[in-house]
Amino acid sequence: MRRLMLAAAVLAVSTLGLAGCGDELTGRSMSQADRDKMVKYAECMKEYGVQVPVPDPNGGPAIGGGQTADPNDPKQLAARAACERFAPPLVADQAPPAGVVEHALKMAACLREQGIAAKDPKPGENNLTLEEGAAESPEKLRAAYATCTQKYPAPEA
C-alpha cells in the first residue's frame, strides 16, 4: 500500500534529492542560501546515519545517493526531527490531510513522553521538529521514535 503521509513525502524529497533539484520540484531554481541550508541539512542527516544528496555548488545535479524514505523508520524520523532546522522551506501545493496532522500531533506528544523536546507541528502542517536548543543524542531520538512509531504507525492509504 502507498503511504499518503505528507511527512513521508517531505522525508522522501529530502532523502531522495531535494538538494540540487529545485527546478524539478518547485519550478524554480534553488537560491544559494537554500543550497547552503541543504548542505548543512545533508551534513546533519549524515551525522544521524541518513545519506542525503548534497547540492552541487554550481547548481548541477546533487552529489551522493539517498535512501528510500520510510515513514516508520526511527532512524530517518529522528534525523529529520534533529535536522529540520537546517532544511530550506519546502513549498507544498496543499495542506496535509487531517489524519496526517492528527498523527503528527500524537507523535509529538509521544516523543515528549519519551523525554524528547518535540514541538507540536504548526496548524495545517505535520513537520515534527525539536525545541530550539534541544540536544538529543541520535540514540535517544531513535529509541523514542522506535517506541512512538510502534504505538502510532504512519497512516496508510
Side-chain angles (χ1 to χ4, degrees):
M1 294 184 126
R2 267 184 351 148
R3 305 263 183 215
L4 180 62
M5 193 169 133
L6 184 59
V10 171
L11 180 62
V13 167
S14 67
T15 59
L16 296 176
L18 175 60
C21 296
D23 291 323
E24 294 171 26
L25 295 173
T26 65
R28 66 189 198 294
S29 42
M30 187 179 282
S31 70
Q32 186 60 46
D34 284 347
R35 195 174 313 283
D36 293 344
K37 286 180 184 179
M38 277 307 300
V39 169
K40 279 186 162 184
Y41 177 76
E43 290 169 352
C44 180
M45 293 289 282
K46 187 175 181 180
E47 288 177 24
Y48 282 81
V50 178
Q51 296 300 315
V52 177
V54 178
D56 181 307
N58 301 316
I63 302 166
Q67 295 176 245
T68 302
D70 179 350
N72 289 310
D73 179 10
K75 182 168 93 172
Q76 291 181 16
L77 294 169
R80 178 81 182 154
C83 302
E84 176 69 24
R85 67 186 182 273
F86 298 120
L90 179 65
V91 180
D93 291 338
Q94 58 188 357
V100 172
V101 174
E102 181 181 322
H103 174 260
L105 290 168
K106 287 179 182 177
M107 286 291 290
C110 181
L111 290 169
R112 287 190 294 272
E113 289 171 7
Q114 305 303 312
I116 302 298
K119 296 193 288 190
D120 281 340
K122 294 176 184 174
E125 294 184 4
N126 64 329
N127 291 346
L128 291 177
T129 59
L130 302 180
E131 294 288 346
E132 188 71 31
E136 311 294 355
S137 73
E139 294 79 17
K140 184 176 179 181
L141 277 172
R142 282 193 291 270
Y145 269 102
T147 297
C148 295
T149 56
Q150 189 169 37
K151 190 173 181 180
Y152 301 109
E156 295 188 26

